[in-house]
Each structure stands twice: as structure tokens, then as C-alpha cells.
Amino acid sequence: MLPSRSPDVITLGCRLNLAESEAIRALVGASDMVVINGCGVTNEAMKQTRVAVRRARRDRPDAQIVVTGCASEIDRDAFAAMPEVDRVVPNAAKLLPATWGAFPNRQPPRRHARAFLGVQNGCDHSCTFCAIPKGRGPSRSEPVGQVVSAAAELVEQGAREIVLTGVDLTSYEGGLGRLVEAVLLGVPGLARLRLSSLDTIEIDERLFELITGEPRVMPHVHLSLQAGDDLILKRMKRRHLRAEAVAVVARLKARRDITIGADLIAGFPTEDEAAFANTLALIDDCDIVHAHVFPYSPRAGTPAARMPQVSPTTAKARAARLREAADQRRGAWLRSLIGTTQRIVIEKPGDRGHAENFAEVRLVNPAPTASAHASPALPNDAAALSTLRMGTVGAIQSVTIIGAAHDHLIGIPA
């Protein structure tokens, strides 16, 4: 997990952290401060947060180094003891103007055509592997009117696509479908609305109808599946069974051409080869083309840490097998899109964007052809990497897909 860098804020982890970092960036007035908004979802994420702290001190030896986010909340004493750290800010205080000495009406500059908007925080569930409730606290939701106002402001600042994010997004108070309807109605200038990770058991009829029938809601669903074996799901204390997840995906795809992403954990305690095989098969059974795969690592204080453990070597090997299977399915899906026309939001620096199905598309200048009627030649890898700026950042543009790499599409203006 690599951090994304900015002049004053370093972000690791989830889309909610990305949204919160934009707010922090607006509140941090001091140019001699670096804020690390860290992640604590896995031991590796904790390690990467510490690495980011040390790198920030090397890069900015005279700056004040401040750590916040789930990592510092879960292990505050350890981060406070790091010699590189000047200050640790609790998660609950990181969005308060008083924390940074800033004015509450100062707004962040729009940096991207796609914006992340946090609408829910915390979690009331007790998954046995998860330490995030300790880092984020109980579930709470931003008021509908406040979300609509924030979305309208983002659109005014240039956002064409907004991604609603949360720790447990589908637990939004009053229903996520109700919120989506309010945003679409209240912000008619919003071209595209995307949802971050969803819990299958909480996709109610209102939300289902919007995902499958509303053109402004993008046809891309990322599901918090975690495993594909019923016994492992029960030991994780998840609230769905394998068949229920598969049925939800089948029902979604029967109504609309929706691409599926999923979070998957390999090597959960007590997982044997048969249980792992059920999770591996889930990639095909749910047609998962956007997979986030994690090898299980025990978190202190969680029930799963006290269960019989799978060896780290086995967990990493199984995670690699999951990634390989997901990469193969993703590659086949990308190749199937060659020859199609996709609509993308042009993102910085102007030569790429994401299609409605969340496939990344990189634009190239088509190679000269012998005839005006000939098809554009597919550029080689070097040409694909040296793309020209083809559009205005923020514009929605139709592109023709002429090729596919292992993790993205190659297109030309249609």
C-alpha cells in the first residue's frame, strides 16, 4: 500500500481517508507542517504509516510532523514515541478547524475531476478480524442536507464525478438509497455519482433500483465480501453467506451491465485448502474484476487474533493465488472491451480517466496510418506511456478502445 503524496498531507488507506485528507489540507495553514493521515486496517498498513513518517522527516527535516488517522488511533503511544513525530491528532479531532488553527469557512481547492465525499464514519459491527471500530468509533452519518450542500460545492469547484465514502457506507442512517436520491435531486449539475464499498446484506430495494436503473449512478459496485466460505464467514462474524453474495451479484448483473469489485482476505484463522478454494472460486462466481486482496494478519485485541492461526507464509501464498486469479479475470474483461466506446472523465494531467465501469483508460495519439480509412495502429508500450494530453481536465469525453494492457485500457478520442 503506497501513500499518495501532496505538499502538506500524506494519505494512506481507504477512500474515506482520501476525502478527509482534502478537508485537512484546507485547514492546515502552516507551510512547515506535514500531516500523515495513516491507515490501521492491517499490520502492513501500520508499517507503511511508520515508513511514511520516517520518509517525511527525511524529506522535510525542519517541518512539524503530525500523525493522525486510524493507525495513530489504534496505537497512539507507539506513534507518539517515534522521534520523528511532533504531534499525534486523534481521529475524532482531525477535521476540526481548531485542531489546525484554521478558519472553518476556508475551502479546499479542487485538485481533481473526481472528488471523494465522506458521508458516514465508524462502525457498529463486530467483525472478528477488524480493529477499525477502535480507530473510528461507532457509526454516525452526516445529515442529508449537509451532504447535498457539500456535493453542490464540489460540483461548483469543478468535480464531475463524486464518490460517496464511509467506513460502513450502507449503514447510512435513514438509508443510503435515500441519500443517493437526495444528492441526485439536489445537485442536478452532478454528472456522475459513484459509491464506495457496500455491504451486500444492506443493499435494500431503494438502493438496488438506483444502482441498476439510474444512469447518473455508475455501473460499478465494490462489495465487502471478505471470504467465500460459509464457516469462515461465520467465524469472521460477517452477516451474509456465500450464496447470498452470489445471488446479489447475479441479480444486479441481470438488470444492468455492472462491474464488480470486492475485498477478499486470504489465510483467515482456521482456513483450510477447501475453505480457501471456496473463496478462490468466488472470483469467477461473482465475476470480480476489481479485487482488493489482503493476507490476514492478526490485530491485537480482536477475537480472530485468539483463533488458531494460518501461517503467514501460507496466507501470503493464498493471497498471491487470489490476485493471480483476479488479474486473469480482469485481463479478460479489459480485452473484451477493445472496440467499444467508453465515456471517461478526463483526469490530470489530461491523458487519462475512468470509464463508467471504473476501467482506467489512458489516451494515446493514434499512430499514422497509410489510409484515411485505415484503423488506428495500436501503439507499443513506450508510446502508451508517453501519451499526449488529449482533453481538458474535467471534461467528459467518448473514447474508442483500441487496446488493453494488464491493468488499463488504451483509447483514442472517438
Side-chain angles (χ1 to χ4, degrees), residues 293-306:
V293 176
F294 306 91
Y296 172 80
S297 59
R299 305 307 312 276
T302 61
R306 300 189 295 271

Side-chain angles (χ1 to χ4, degrees), residues 101-232:
F103 293 103
N105 62 348
R106 183 180 171 194
Q107 296 298 326
R110 280 301 317 135
R111 296 170 180 263
H112 304 287
R114 298 173 63 237
F116 297 92
L117 179 57
V119 302
Q120 184 276 338
N121 209 331
C123 185
D124 292 336
H125 307 306
S126 303
C127 295
T128 59
F129 56 84
C130 187
I132 293 304
K134 180 179 178 182
R136 291 280 183 175
S139 179
R140 54 211 185 271
S141 304
E142 299 291 335
V144 172
Q146 187 171 314
V147 173
V148 172
S149 296
E153 188 165 2
L154 287 170
V155 170
E156 288 176 6
Q157 293 169 354
R160 302 304 306 278
E161 176 177 307
I162 290 177
V163 184
L164 300 184
T165 70
V167 173
D168 184 24
L169 185 61
T170 36
S171 71
Y172 184 87
E173 186 176 357
L176 182 59
R178 169 173 166 263
L179 177 67
V180 170
E181 283 182 338
V183 170
L184 294 173
L185 180 64
V187 193
L190 174 61
R192 309 199 327 183
L193 182 66
R194 198 179 298 274
L195 305 175
S196 67
S197 185
L198 306 178
D199 194 331
T200 55
I201 206 71
E202 291 180 327
I203 300 178
D204 60 20
E205 287 304 310
R206 196 174 193 176
L207 182 58
F208 177 86
E209 291 297 326
L210 288 164
I211 293 172
T212 58
E214 170 53 58
R216 293 161 66 197
V217 176
M218 294 298 93
H220 159 232
V221 173
H222 192 89
L223 300 174
S224 178
L225 297 182
Q226 311 304 347
D229 181 82
D230 283 347
L231 182 58
I232 295 299

Side-chain angles (χ1 to χ4, degrees), residues 159-361:
R160 302 304 306 278
E161 176 177 307
I162 290 177
V163 184
L164 300 184
T165 70
V167 173
D168 184 24
L169 185 61
T170 36
S171 71
Y172 184 87
E173 186 176 357
L176 182 59
R178 169 173 166 263
L179 177 67
V180 170
E181 283 182 338
V183 170
L184 294 173
L185 180 64
V187 193
L190 174 61
R192 309 199 327 183
L193 182 66
R194 198 179 298 274
L195 305 175
S196 67
S197 185
L198 306 178
D199 194 331
T200 55
I201 206 71
E202 291 180 327
I203 300 178
D204 60 20
E205 287 304 310
R206 196 174 193 176
L207 182 58
F208 177 86
E209 291 297 326
L210 288 164
I211 293 172
T212 58
E214 170 53 58
R216 293 161 66 197
V217 176
M218 294 298 93
H220 159 232
V221 173
H222 192 89
L223 300 174
S224 178
L225 297 182
Q226 311 304 347
D229 181 82
D230 283 347
L231 182 58
I232 295 299
L233 287 167
K234 289 179 180 179
R235 288 171 176 168
M236 287 179 166
K237 207 174 178 181
R238 300 295 294 166
R239 295 174 298 151
H240 70 272
L241 297 176
R242 186 186 203 280
E244 292 171 326
V246 174
V248 166
V249 171
R251 187 166 172 242
L252 286 168
K253 293 176 78 67
R255 289 279 298 272
R256 190 180 184 186
D257 185 14
I258 291 176
T259 57
I260 305 297
D263 296 322
L264 297 171
I265 295 175
F268 186 80
T270 77
E271 181 188 74
D272 58 17
E273 276 297 325
F276 172 70
N278 285 333
T279 296
L280 186 64
L282 200 64
I283 290 174
D284 287 338
D285 293 344
C286 288
D287 192 18
I288 297 169
V289 297
H290 301 291
H292 292 172
V293 176
F294 306 91
Y296 172 80
S297 59
R299 305 307 312 276
T302 61
R306 300 189 295 271
M307 297 178 185
Q309 301 292 302
V310 172
S311 76
T313 301
T314 299
K316 290 179 181 178
R318 289 176 180 170
R321 289 167 62 189
L322 281 174
R323 292 190 187 103
E324 181 181 5
D327 286 348
Q328 289 178 357
R329 192 160 193 89
R330 178 178 178 83
W333 170 65
L334 291 173
R335 290 189 296 274
S336 75
L337 297 174
I338 296 174
T340 66
T341 297
Q342 303 290 329
R343 288 177 59 78
I344 68 171
V345 174
I346 302 293
E347 301 170 21
K348 288 186 177 182
D351 61 2
R352 67 196 60 199
H354 284 81
E356 293 181 349
N357 57 22
F358 203 54
E360 182 183 351
V361 180

